[in-house]
Each structure stands twice: as structure tokens, then as C-alpha cells.
Amino acid sequence: MGILEKIKEIEDEMAKTQKNKATEYHLGQLKARLAKLRTELQAPSGKGEKGDGFEVQKYGDGRVALIGFPSVGKSSLLTLLTGTESEAAAYEFTTLTCIPGVIHYNESKIQLLDLPGIIEGASQGKGRGRQVIAVCKSADLLLMVLDAIKPWYHKEILTRELESVGIRLNRSPPNIYFKRRKTGGLSINSTVALTHLDDKMIARILQEYKIHNCELLFKEDSTVDDLIDVIEGNRRYIKCLYVYNKVDMCSLEEVDTIGHWPNSIPISCQLKLNLDGLLEKIWEMMALVRVYTKRVGDKPDFLSPVVLTQDRGGTTVEALCRQIHNSLVADFKYALVWGTSSKHYPQRCGLSHRLEDEDVVQIVKKKVKDNSEDLKTKLKNQPDRIADREKKAALKT
């Protein structure tokens, strides 16, 4: 029996099993078994020739990926936002590979990827869905493009496909400390009351993964899925913005309803409606931080800022130093900061200070000891001619 058949069998068993106190342990074990099989399904087989992927080189200060069903307007949106020509037609699967573009917004460069449309069952490899989803894992933000005149459950279908391959949308990693050990048995502790888990459930899930020695500390009220995600360790937590296209064919009441949903925005590529609002929402969700550098005695450089983000190294002064040059951290003495993150102008800060958008930073390095005087004295004492130099005595043999 193949992996797909095993997954289908477990899903059928979970659908048939009633959810109550007597079956919650059995359902927890089935979820752990299902997660293991899905991880095996995504692992490379190592057989056959290497196929053509969709991955492109990272560029700019952030990466945004367009994902959605075929013929929802992804290529048209890429052309409007970046100016890159992407083929758009009235038939499905017009885009067959990854097409990159660059958004120039607020003095920063954001890479936008137009991916081929995915269908239901993409997580199992249908329609080259695995290659598309693999590119999504490398993105800092997902734009899920949906057709406003199509059924609302399309959003749930796409979310389910991404969840099945380990992508968690608009969620933060569970606050659970997990460490494997060679000996010592199971050590399970929690700082809060657990309402979804108990020791028996946790032990059964660990037994499914053949873990008999580990340390677990729950710092929040977690569920079975949170524990499985922590044990698997390969989950990707990505922000997602739901973009509803073709709202020019909807009524005003429907557009108003879409606008009030969380992480959702209505647009129209045909009439170029609300594209500026979409760029503002992308900037807000990516939380990019522009930092302007300043030399001693000069004015700040407001033309080319250093862009920091929490997902790429953090927004501290240390991250700024590493982005300029790796050796700058070792020579760092202190930094002078002007902006909203400082209490007064300027504030003397260390490496751990968190910067905010449009801060001005002047980095002061340690002074290097000047050895030039010692070198001049040494050279002055040497004779000008080789013949005047003192000859060493011959070695005794």
C-alpha cells in the first residue's frame, strides 16, 4: 500500500470516528500518524532525474508570492504592480512557470512571484502542486488571490492544501519547549492549565513518534496539532493576505462585507480599483523597517535606506551592522539613534536596541591603536646601507 492510500485510509477513519471523550486519544494518534505520512510524502524520493523547479533567486528586501486557483487574475495583478509582462488569457493554466517581478514602494524593493494556478489535491502532486507550494515556503508574505464571484469555500480549499504540507497561515509558532534526550524518560511540565491535552494524550503522541526520552514545557494552552507541529519541526509560519479580485462584478454590500473580513482586501484588476490600498496593506503586513545611515559630520543618506525585517535577521542595531558588513559588529562601540525608537535625540544605544521605521543611525567604531610612530622609530634606527649593518657571528660547528 502506497503513502497516498495510507493517507486516504486514515482520513476516512477520522471522518467516521465520532468525537467524544472516549475517542480523543485514538484521534490524537491518528493525527500524529497522518502528519508523519504527509512528511514522508513531501520528502524527495532520490530516484529518477532531477526535474525543473520554479525557484528563482531571491532579490530585494522581501518576497511575496501570488497563489490561487487558475484564471483569478494573478498574472494581471503582477503586470499592474510591477510592470513585468505576464501572459494573461481567458483560458486556465496560462502561466506554466514562475514569473518574477519587482515592486518599488517606499524606497524599497519587494520581489513578487507569479505562480501557476493550483487545484484541489495539489499537496499530493496534482498539477505540479508540490513545486508551487515549495516556492510558497520561501516567501515572506502570501497573496491568496480569490475570485469574488466564485464560491466562498475556495479559500478553505486552498488553506487546507497549504496546511497539509506544513504551511501555517497567519499564525505564530506554538510556545512549547521541546528537547530530545538520550536518557531520563519523559519530563512533561506546563506553566498554564492545559484544557486540550493531558499526560496520557501526550505520551501516546510521543509513542507514535517513538520518542521515549524528552523534555516538554508548555507555556500556553496548546492543542494536539500544536504538539505535532513542534515534534515535526518543519512547519513554516507565513502571513497571508486574501485578495478578492473582480469586485466590479459584485454589489456594494458584498464589497463592504469583504472589506470587513480580517486580512482581506477587495480589488479589481480590470478597472484598477484599490491597488494603492493593496500596496499599503502589503507594506503593513510585511512590517519592513527603513533605517537611514549617517556619517560623522555629514547629513543622513535619505536616498538609499537599509531595509530590515523581523523575518530576515531582526530589526536591531546588530542586524543593521551585519547587513552593512559582518566585521562591523566586532568593531562596534555604540550607536547614536534619531527617530521614534529613541527616548531623546540622539540616544546612545547598544547592539540590542530595536529600531523602528525611518530611524537615523550613526555607528561609532572602536579606535584602533596607531602603531605608525613605532614603525617610524624602528626604520630610523636601521642603517641606510646594507654594508653598514652589523654582521652576525658565524655558527659554531
Side-chain angles (χ1 to χ4, degrees):
M1 185 182 292
I3 297 179
L4 290 176
E5 288 79 7
K6 292 180 180 178
I7 290 176
K8 186 69 169 61
E9 185 180 350
I10 293 176
E11 288 177 345
D12 293 341
E13 186 176 353
M14 290 177 63
K16 294 176 183 177
T17 306
Q18 294 182 354
K19 295 182 180 180
N20 50 50
K21 282 284 184 181
T23 61
E24 61 179 6
Y25 300 108
H26 179 61
L27 287 172
Q29 281 186 302
L30 290 178
K31 286 182 179 179
R33 207 172 301 164
L34 186 62
K36 285 175 59 180
L37 290 173
R38 283 176 174 166
T39 302
E40 291 179 18
L41 187 64
Q42 297 301 316
S45 60
K47 297 179 181 178
E49 297 182 358
K50 189 175 181 180
D52 296 331
F54 294 146
E55 182 63 31
V56 295
Q57 184 177 0
K58 279 192 173 184
Y59 176 80
D61 307 310
R63 170 178 280 195
V64 179
L66 296 169
I67 189 170
F69 282 106
S71 297
V72 292
K74 298 187 297 297
S75 300
S76 302
L77 186 60
L78 175 80
T79 304
L80 290 173
L81 294 180
T82 66
T84 304
E85 290 296 329
S86 180
E87 185 181 358
Y91 54 86
E92 295 184 348
F93 296 104
T94 310
T95 305
L96 300 176
T97 185
C98 179
I99 300 176
V102 179
I103 301 173
H104 296 272
Y105 188 73
N106 283 349
E107 303 164 352
S108 64
K109 298 175 183 178
I110 302 173
Q111 188 181 42
L112 184 64
L113 301 181
D114 179 20
L115 299 173
I118 65 174
I119 57 176
E120 191 172 1
S123 59
Q124 299 175 1
K126 292 183 181 179
R128 300 190 73 181
R130 291 185 193 173
Q131 292 92 327
V132 175
I133 293 175
V135 179
C136 293
K137 287 187 175 182
S138 65
D140 302 312
L141 174 68
L142 288 181
L143 292 186
M144 186 181 291
V145 185
L146 300 164
D147 196 334
I149 59 176
K150 293 287 180 66
W152 303 116
Y153 59 80
H154 282 191
K155 173 183 171 183
E156 281 72 23
I157 294 174
L158 290 173
T159 304
R160 188 168 62 247
E161 293 295 330
L162 294 174
E163 290 268 346
S164 63
V165 294
I167 297 178
R168 303 290 181 260
L169 302 179
N170 298 325
R171 286 166 51 186
S172 57
N175 196 2
I176 303 174
Y177 173 76
F178 171 71
K179 184 180 180 180
R180 295 174 185 259
R181 298 188 301 193
K182 294 183 179 179
T183 57
L186 300 178
S187 175
I188 303 171
N189 297 293
S190 63
T191 58
V192 296
L194 299 178
T195 59
H196 306 285
L197 291 168
D198 56 13
D199 291 348
K200 184 178 179 182
M201 172 73 78
I202 296 170
R204 285 202 177 189
I205 293 174
L206 293 173
Q207 185 181 4
E208 193 66 38
Y209 282 93
K210 298 181 180 179
I211 299 175
H212 307 291
N213 302 283
C214 75
E215 186 176 353
L216 266 174
L217 176 61
F218 293 89
K219 300 178 182 179
E220 62 181 10
D221 189 11
S222 306
T223 61
V224 176
D225 296 325
D226 293 336
L227 177 58
I228 292 173
D229 289 347
V230 170
I231 295 173
E232 287 284 348
N234 57 358
R235 303 301 189 234
R236 183 84 168 86
Y237 297 86
I238 308 177
K239 297 177 182 177
C240 181
L241 177 61
Y242 304 101
V243 181
Y244 288 87
N245 190 21
K246 306 178 184 179
V247 294
D248 52 307
M249 304 175 68
C250 300
S251 63
L252 290 177
E253 291 77 10
E254 291 175 333
V255 175
D256 185 65
T257 303
I258 293 172
H260 283 83
W261 289 342
N263 301 318
S264 302
I265 184 168
I267 66 163
S268 174
C269 294
Q270 183 72 23
L271 301 180
K272 299 181 182 179
L273 297 176
N274 204 21
L275 295 181
D276 292 336
L278 174 61
L279 290 174
E280 292 178 5
K281 196 72 175 176
I282 290 173
W283 179 265
E284 178 188 342
M285 293 192 70
M286 293 192 73
L288 298 178
V289 175
R290 293 165 294 174
V291 179
Y292 302 102
T293 55
K294 178 184 178 301
R295 292 178 179 270
V296 179
D298 293 342
K299 293 182 179 180
D301 182 13
F302 290 112
L303 298 177
S304 54
V306 180
V307 181
L308 306 174
T309 178
Q310 193 61 41
D311 297 332
R312 295 190 181 188
T315 58
T316 59
V317 175
E318 182 178 359
L320 173 66
C321 295
R322 293 192 183 280
Q323 189 151 341
I324 296 172
H325 199 276
N326 286 328
S327 63
L328 197 56
V329 177
D331 300 333
F332 179 86
K333 186 175 182 181
Y334 63 88
L336 297 176
V337 180
W338 293 262
T340 56
S341 68
S342 58
K343 297 179 181 178
H344 48 81
Y345 300 152
Q347 181 180 348
R348 183 168 172 167
C349 305
L351 290 172
S352 60
H353 178 75
R354 290 194 175 276
L355 300 170
E356 295 181 4
D357 193 27
E358 295 186 312
D359 279 358
V360 177
V361 178
Q362 176 183 315
I363 298 174
V364 180
K365 298 169 63 177
K366 298 176 182 176
K367 289 186 178 180
V368 181
K369 185 179 179 181
D370 191 6
N371 297 324
S372 58
E373 295 296 330
D374 297 340
L375 184 61
K376 289 179 182 178
T377 306
K378 186 177 180 181
L379 293 174
K380 188 176 180 180
N381 295 333
Q382 287 186 357
D384 296 333
R385 297 184 305 170
I386 298 177
D388 297 338
R389 294 179 183 176
E390 183 181 355
K391 294 183 180 180
K392 294 182 179 180
L395 295 174
K396 295 182 179 180
T397 57

